Amino acid sequence: MLVYKESKKTFVEQVISNTIEDRIYEDFYRETGHHTSQSELRSWQNSMQYVQNVVNHPDIPDDCTIAIEYTLPQTSKRIDVIIAGKNKKYENSMVIIELKQWDKAESTNQDGIVSTFVGGALRNVAHPSYQAWSYAEYLHDFNETVEKDKIGLYPCTYLHNYKNGTVLSSSLYKAYVNKAPIFYRHDSLLLRDFIKNNVTYGDTDDLMYRVDYGRIRPSKQLADSLAAMLKGNQEFVLLDQQKVVYEHAIHLLNKAENNKKQVYIIKGGPGTGKSVVAINLLVEVTKRGLLTQYVTKNSAPRAVYASKLTGVMTKTKYNNLFKGSGSYIDTPKDQFDMLIVDEAHRLNEKSGMFSNLGENQIKEIINSSKCAVFFIDENQKVTFKDIGRVETIQKFAKSLGASIETTELESQFRCNGSDGYLAWLDNVLQIRDTANSSMDLPDYDFKVVNSPEELHQLIKQKNRLNNKSRMVAGYCWNWVSKKTPSLYDIKISDYEAQWNLSDDGMQWIIKKDSVDQVGCIHTCQGLELDYVGVIIGDDLRYRDGQIQTDPYMRAKTDQSLKGWKKQLKTDEEGTLKECDEIIKNTYRTLMTRGMKGCYIYCTDENLEKYFKRMVKSPDIIYKPIEG
């Protein structure tokens, strides 16, 4: 998505006439449907004056393109300024400029990380040159037009308020400054030279339009890239906060090697890149020759990863890297240098098939490692057994004498990078109140359809592209086909379907032809799809302006709420509240598996009408696809 695009000549005129911030604001509202803050308006007004002073020169062609606030594909990250045209060889070229209003920064002992005052506090952030370079790398990886049209990308950063660049240009950051030069307050002439050397002639090909509307490469999915990552290849460029969190985890690992136990809690919603950071940590710690393991309670991700690594590494080596959360009952203290716990909200108290082994999985993991890293989203608790909460981790960490740090990953790398979709979903499911009361997200494909047949047709159509679209449903139908394969599990009027086959197990999400079956929360949590179709069953309905949940509508074969009826006798209010949380969290999780789109069908007619009303254009009727 691109907010602003004009010729240099028009851009300069708008800045000089003091109308540029209004124009950007109008374009921003038109593209996003949202207002922005006064501080961002002032930022645009201030920074664009400096950019205008640099480009307002005959050596910068009047017909080159100035683009402002270009959103990187499938993220919520925006490139501040792009200047597009042709270089001295008449080749397509783009200068990417990361603007900063900093006037001071300090170095850190972490790769590509500096400390500066932002957001009202002193914080560790990505070095501006790393940020600009990583944005260019990401754009090259995901936008097919950039490679197809052989567009050269030339990142740099401009700190127009910063006088002394000794810290940021020091040898600590030389590798990134070489990739993306850094220009300070008094370097406007040097920045102008950098631009004119790379954009010598005008934008005769309308490059920004072609990039903005160009084909986006198929989404990289962690499971597909795992083998290459474990071989040391950089498959995912860590952006901004991901980089900060990754480097701080390595920093804590180094501290832990000096006999000071560390616990690092990283909070983040669906698609914030928790698993990508986790796997990158696994690769780096392993490369250092230290003892580490990647831990998940849910076996679905591990089963998918194992299938992707078949023939790449031995089963023994795989089993030494990827473990279930109940593997540390008898592990000696500090045996592992780092344990990396993904989906930590799914941790249980007891371990074993009958939940009768060990004391507490959280305590055992912290005890077993010098440094324990927990990636957690408390809104993805989906069973009564899930005990992974931030305060619980902190309690055990304190009791074991560990230093504790907590941070949060916020930016979106799923749902087409739309933080707005997640906020809207939380609002519509009445999990939490947000400002997103209506769906106005042109980059994310969300539909409410009229029948399960239509839903399944849509998903099958999308799945023909790359086998990365699947049907899922709330667990409201008994799994009768497990014992009698000829029977259908899910029956809604004339629609019939089976839960994912027993033979596919936790690999259902990648098995060929499994699009014919329907998955559940247990076989898709922690994994991602391009498009997901969600059947919302009778455990969720809409009455009298409220989303209501009904645990009685859950299937008997579902173990998520096991024991709730017994607990109801002693604590009715608390039990129903917990059931309500789990059912809502289940649908929130299912509805955020799709990186590009989510389609839903509701068995409750009132709920269907409610969802349609909450979408931007509720009067649209989605017709079934023929064939």
Side-chain angles (χ1 to χ4, degrees):
M1 182 185 72
L2 178 60
V3 170
Y4 173 97
K5 179 178 77 73
E6 288 290 358
S7 68
K8 187 208 86 172
K9 184 175 184 296
T10 302
F11 167 77
V12 168
E13 291 171 350
Q14 290 175 344
V15 175
I16 291 174
S17 64
N18 290 316
T19 60
I20 187 66
E21 67 272 19
D22 293 332
R23 167 63 192 278
I24 297 173
Y25 176 81
E26 290 168 4
D27 290 352
F28 183 86
Y29 182 73
R30 185 191 67 245
E31 291 295 330
T32 68
H34 301 293
H35 299 284
T36 191
S37 65
Q38 287 297 317
S39 62
E40 188 158 24
L41 279 174
R42 288 192 297 270
S43 174
W44 284 332
Q45 184 180 34
N46 184 34
S47 293
M48 293 312 140
Q49 290 286 348
Y50 285 95
V51 174
Q52 183 272 143
N53 290 338
V54 171
V55 301
N56 190 9
H57 189 274
D59 286 348
I60 310 294
D62 280 347
D63 57 346
C64 72
T65 296
I66 306 287
I68 300 171
E69 302 289 356
Y70 171 74
T71 303
L72 289 170
Q74 299 171 359
T75 81
S76 55
K77 300 298 180 183
R78 303 200 300 258
I79 295 176
D80 292 330
V81 175
I82 298 177
I83 303 177
K86 295 185 182 295
N87 63 17
K88 292 178 179 179
K89 297 181 180 180
Y90 217 68
E91 298 166 332
N92 292 325
S93 179
M94 288 182 174
V95 172
I96 291 173
I97 307 177
E98 177 62 29
L99 298 173
K100 296 293 183 191
Q101 300 199 45
W102 305 354
D103 55 14
K104 188 177 180 180
E106 299 295 334
S107 61
T108 71
N109 59 357
Q110 299 173 34
D111 178 66
I113 304 298
V114 297
S115 177
T116 192
F117 195 85
V118 292
L122 191 65
R123 304 177 193 276
N124 281 5
V125 297
H127 186 285
S129 291
Y130 175 90
Q131 187 177 6
W133 165 78
S134 66
Y135 283 9
E137 287 290 296
Y138 191 95
L139 181 59
H140 180 272
D141 284 347
F142 278 86
N143 193 296
E144 195 172 86
T145 302
V146 172
E147 182 177 20
K148 182 181 177 183
D149 291 0
K150 298 180 180 178
I151 301 173
L153 301 179
Y154 302 95
C156 67
T157 183
Y158 186 26
L159 283 73
H160 48 72
N161 294 335
Y162 206 112
K163 295 181 181 179
N164 184 350
T166 304
V167 171
L168 295 177
S169 295
S170 71
S171 58
L172 287 172
Y173 306 111
K174 183 179 179 180
Y176 298 117
V177 174
N178 287 342
K179 294 175 180 178
I182 188 167
F183 300 99
Y184 301 100
R185 182 171 182 172
H186 301 299
D187 292 336
S188 58
L189 296 182
L190 294 176
L191 174 57
R192 181 182 294 162
D193 287 340
F194 180 81
I195 295 170
K196 72 182 184 182
N197 284 335
N198 294 300
V199 180
T200 312
Y201 303 105
D203 182 15
T204 57
D205 292 337
D206 202 0
L207 291 181
M208 280 312 307
Y209 177 86
R210 290 161 65 182
V211 168
D212 193 29
Y213 289 94
R215 183 175 182 271
I216 303 303
R217 294 184 190 277
S219 306
K220 278 188 178 180
Q221 294 192 352
L222 183 58
D224 295 332
S225 303
L226 184 62
M229 292 174 72
L230 290 173
K231 289 179 180 178
N233 296 336
Q234 187 179 46
E235 292 290 306
F236 294 87
V237 176
L238 299 178
L239 299 182
D240 297 351
Q241 215 174 2
Q242 291 179 327
K243 173 70 171 173
V244 173
V245 166
Y246 168 85
E247 292 298 339
H248 194 65
I250 296 298
H251 170 68
L252 294 180
L253 171 66
N254 294 334
K255 289 179 68 173
E257 290 300 303
N258 295 321
N259 299 316
K260 180 58 178 175
K261 187 183 284 291
Q262 303 288 326
V263 168
Y264 192 22
I265 304 168
I266 302 161
K267 300 185 288 183
T272 47
K274 298 188 298 296
S275 296
V276 168
V277 176
I279 292 296
N280 272 282
L281 281 174
L282 179 71
V283 171
E284 176 61 24
V285 180
T286 302
K287 189 167 67 177
R288 293 184 178 202
L290 300 176
L291 194 58
T292 182
Q293 289 180 337
Y294 178 96
V295 185
T296 60
K297 162 64 173 66
N298 189 0
S299 61
R302 287 184 280 116
V304 171
Y305 295 164
S307 71
K308 296 291 184 179
L309 293 173
T310 301
V312 177
M313 66 170 55
T314 64
K315 187 175 181 180
T316 299
K317 188 173 182 180
Y318 172 84
N319 287 336
N320 285 333
L321 283 177
F322 296 87
K323 288 289 186 179
S325 56
S327 303
Y328 306 96
I329 297 169
D330 300 315
T331 304
K333 180 183 177 182
D334 295 343
Q335 177 169 317
F336 292 90
D337 296 288
M338 178 181 278
L339 287 178
I340 303 158
V341 188
D342 206 357
E343 306 281 327
H345 41 272
R346 295 299 319 278
L347 294 173
N348 292 171
E349 183 177 10
K350 301 288 187 178
S351 301
M353 183 180 295
F354 302 105
S355 301
N356 61 346
L357 302 177
E359 181 182 349
N360 185 288
Q361 289 182 354
I362 296 173
K363 181 179 180 181
E364 290 153 6
I365 288 168
I366 296 173
N367 180 70
S368 301
S369 58
K370 298 174 185 176
C371 180
V373 181
F374 295 90
F375 293 87
I376 188 168
D377 177 8
E378 292 180 338
N379 286 328
Q380 288 195 60
K381 173 185 176 178
V382 294
T383 80
F384 260 46
K385 289 184 178 181
D386 296 350
I387 63 159
R389 292 194 178 274
V390 171
E391 62 180 6
T392 309
I393 297 171
Q394 291 172 333
K395 180 188 75 173
F396 282 114
K398 186 176 180 180
S399 70
L400 291 168
S403 295
I404 309 162
E405 293 198 36
T406 304
T407 192
E408 189 159 3
L409 282 167
E410 297 175 343
S411 297
Q412 253 294 307
F413 297 87
R414 193 184 291 157
C415 305
N416 252 2
S418 176
D419 296 308
Y421 173 67
L422 289 181
W424 174 81
L425 191 57
D426 283 352
N427 191 81
V428 78
L429 291 175
Q430 297 177 1
I431 292 174
R432 64 185 176 97
D433 291 330
T434 70
N436 298 62
S437 59
S438 63
M439 179 81 164
D440 188 6
L441 305 167
D443 293 331
Y444 191 66
D445 190 3
F446 184 87
K447 292 182 175 69
V448 184
V449 303
N450 301 317
S451 71
E453 292 92 344
E454 178 186 353
L455 182 65
H456 215 140
Q457 284 180 358
L458 278 167
I459 291 301
K460 285 182 177 180
Q461 184 186 61
K462 294 295 185 182
N463 191 62
R464 294 185 194 114
L465 299 173
N466 56 8
N467 193 37
K468 291 181 179 178
S469 299
R470 291 292 183 274
M471 286 283 295
V472 297
Y475 212 144
C476 298
W477 294 269
N478 288 320
W479 192 8
V480 294
S481 65
K482 184 177 183 180
K483 293 183 178 180
T484 312
S486 61
L487 297 179
Y488 288 101
D489 306 296
I490 301 170
K491 295 184 178 183
I492 306 170
S493 299
D494 295 329
Y495 175 78
E496 295 180 324
Q498 290 184 323
W499 289 118
N500 54 279
L501 303 176
S502 297
D503 293 343
D504 291 341
M506 292 299 176
Q507 295 183 33
W508 157 82
I509 206 166
I510 58 171
K511 285 287 188 178
K512 188 178 180 181
D513 298 329
S514 66
V515 71
D516 293 329
Q517 282 84 46
V518 178
C520 68
I521 187 65
H522 309 302
T523 52
C524 72
Q525 191 173 25
L527 298 167
E528 57 195 19
L529 298 159
D530 275 1
Y531 293 87
V532 64
V534 183
I535 298 176
I536 299 179
D538 288 341
D539 58 344
L540 196 74
R541 56 177 175 250
Y542 185 74
R543 297 288 186 276
D544 301 322
Q546 296 293 317
I547 292 287
Q548 297 180 357
T549 59
D550 188 350
Y552 286 98
M553 292 294 103
R554 280 293 185 96
K556 294 178 181 178
T557 52
D558 176 34
Q559 299 294 304
S560 302
L561 302 180
K562 186 177 181 180
W564 79 275
K565 291 182 180 178
K566 181 179 179 181
Q567 188 173 308
L568 192 68
K569 297 175 182 177
T570 55
D571 182 13
E572 181 177 358
E573 183 179 352
T575 301
L576 291 177
K577 183 178 179 181
E578 189 171 1
C579 288
D580 182 78
E581 177 188 10
I582 288 171
I583 292 171
K584 287 181 178 179
N585 284 352
T586 297
Y587 285 113
R588 178 183 188 266
T589 303
L590 293 177
M591 293 171 70
T592 53
R593 296 307 91 192
M595 297 179 73
K596 297 181 179 180
C598 172
Y599 309 144
I600 68 169
Y601 165 76
C602 309
T603 58
D604 180 67
E605 187 177 345
N606 288 333
L607 186 63
E608 176 188 325
K609 292 177 181 177
Y610 167 68
F611 266 107
K612 286 184 176 180
R613 197 164 64 245
M614 296 293 279
V615 178
K616 178 183 177 183
S617 301
D619 55 329
I620 293 176
I621 302 297
Y622 297 98
K623 297 180 180 179
I625 294 173
E626 299 296 331

